[in-house]
Amino acid sequence: MKKGMRKFTAAMTAGLLAISLAACGSSSSSAGSASSADTEAATQAEGAGSASGKTYKVGIVQYVDDASLNQIVENIESELDAKGEELGVTFDYDDYYYNGQADGTVLQQIASELITDKVDIIIPIATPTAQIMQSATKDKDIPIVFSAVSDPVGAGLVDSMDKPGANITGTSDMLNTEAVMNLIFAQDPDADYIGLLYSNSEDSSKQPIEDAKAYLDEKGIKYIEKTGTDTAGVTDAANALIAEGVDAVFTPTDNTVMTAELAIYKSFMNAGIPQYCGADSFALNGAFCGYGVDYANLGTATADMAVDVLVNGADPAETAVQTFDNGLAEVNTDVCEALGLEQSDIEETFKPYCTAVEFTATQKEFSE
């Protein structure tokens, strides 16, 4: 089965049509207050005794179809399968998987469906999904373990990263914006005009963009912002940045731009403008460089947290949000060649700023 590309059908309330799925990567180390794998395994084994043979209904709700979120879903499901076999329980997610396709109304209907189905837990993927699921279950006894929420506190999901304070916790793909900006100027010390490409409807982009502007202001570097709310808008924004003659483009962990990446990367590449982004999936889809967390590991960690809540009775309100080291730079080999850059030179340039530098050709999904 292709990564993240399985088909499903579900009857939705209010005449919602059948929705079809879709399900991104890198490597990082867990931070925050995550316990060691050995301790966690021992705790789960202890709690599994009374749960043996039980079936848990697990609602997985994906915000939109892109390589990043697809990879998260695949790794959540794989880890749930592995933990289920290990603990002698069943995590039934096949019947409760949905993709909201970036439509708030659809996501609200999905929330209603999951509540009606009396799922045992909801795993929303990406900030807008988590916000809608939390709001819909406010008066319900359904724990939430979110995944890929860039700023859980700023998004109003948790009181603090250490103690969420409500029936919700999860994993964060918080971006180290300064690290990405350092890569831009390591590669081109003479860059003096930077484009900022993002969607102003994405909460996950707000803080990284503010951080990028603060970084550039401090260095006295000129910048210009262009935004779009869909693929057509992002394409127009990208073309506007090219017309401006920017030296490089920065895009944070923005799902709207991610879904448009395959439509815009050639324009940047042909114009000789490197695009630096907040996830390796961007590089997979044609950006020059994607930098950030390992979404495969993030998906696995999300599933482990959900298992801890379901099997061991962990309290989400007291379970710290997990964060991950931002350290992997994924560089697109096609863009390298088009820009006349040598992979060995890029690796040497980026090495002081990354835990690892990896390379990928342009593809749609990580499984190809």
Side-chain angles (χ1 to χ4, degrees), residues 23-42:
C24 147
S26 315
S27 85
S28 66
S29 60
S30 176
S33 62
S35 60
S36 70
D38 290 342
T39 301
E40 181 181 343

Side-chain angles (χ1 to χ4, degrees), residues 7 30 40 56 77 95 101 117 126 149 163 165 171 227 236 239 246 259 261 274 305 318 322 332 336 358 363 368:
K7 187 176 181 181
S30 176
E40 181 181 343
Y56 298 94
E77 294 177 347
D95 295 327
Q101 298 297 355
D117 287 338
V149 171
K163 289 191 175 183
T171 59
T227 65
D236 290 341
N239 289 333
V246 297
T259 58
E261 191 61 39
M305 292 181 76
E318 298 294 323
Q322 286 194 41
N332 186 289
C336 269
E358 297 182 357
Q363 304 174 70
E368 294 181 5

Side-chain angles (χ1 to χ4, degrees), residues 63-279:
Y63 177 60
V64 73
D65 178 19
D66 68 40
S68 296
L69 306 190
N70 293 347
Q71 190 180 39
I72 293 171
V73 169
E74 178 183 288
N75 282 275
I76 288 173
E77 294 177 347
S78 295
E79 182 68 358
L80 288 176
D81 289 343
K83 288 297 184 184
E85 184 174 351
E86 174 188 329
L87 302 173
V89 300
T90 299
F91 298 108
D92 179 8
Y93 54 79
D94 275 333
D95 295 327
Y96 309 104
Y97 169 89
Y98 296 97
N99 189 320
Q101 298 297 355
D103 188 317
T105 300
V106 171
L107 286 167
Q108 289 170 354
Q109 292 172 317
I110 290 169
S112 296
E113 184 78 5
L114 292 174
I115 291 169
T116 299
D117 287 338
K118 297 181 178 179
V119 295
D120 296 299
I121 198 167
I122 297 176
I123 304 177
I125 302 168
T127 303
T129 315
Q131 290 172 319
I132 289 173
M133 295 301 128
Q134 183 188 44
S135 177
T137 59
K138 189 174 182 179
D139 299 320
K140 311 294 180 182
D141 189 25
I142 302 176
I144 294 176
V145 175
F146 56 73
S147 187
V149 171
S150 300
D151 185 2
V153 177
L157 293 169
V158 300
D159 293 339
S160 73
M161 299 290 278
D162 290 332
K163 289 191 175 183
N167 204 25
I168 183 170
T169 188
T171 59
S172 173
D173 59 347
M174 188 175 291
L175 180 64
N176 184 342
T177 303
E178 181 178 352
V180 183
M181 306 306 289
N182 286 339
L183 294 180
I184 294 176
F185 294 100
Q187 172 56 32
D188 185 4
D190 296 324
D192 59 9
Y193 194 16
I194 306 300
L196 306 177
L197 176 63
Y198 63 101
S199 171
N200 52 20
S201 65
E202 293 256 357
D203 283 345
S204 61
S205 292
K206 293 177 181 178
Q207 190 58 54
I209 289 297
E210 290 304 312
D211 292 342
K213 291 192 288 188
Y215 179 103
L216 295 169
D217 285 338
E218 184 177 347
K219 288 185 172 294
I221 303 294
K222 181 181 176 183
Y223 56 85
I224 182 170
E225 300 173 65
K226 294 294 179 181
T227 65
T229 57
D230 55 22
T231 296
V234 170
T235 301
D236 290 341
N239 289 333
L241 291 175
I242 292 169
E244 279 287 325
V246 297
D247 296 310
V249 171
F250 167 66
T251 295
T253 314
D254 189 303
N255 287 302
T256 301
V257 180
M258 180 69 246
T259 58
E261 191 61 39
L262 286 166
I264 65 174
Y265 83 91
K266 285 185 179 178
S267 297
F268 284 136
M269 183 172 69
N270 293 337
I273 300 174
Q275 183 189 12
Y276 295 78
C277 306

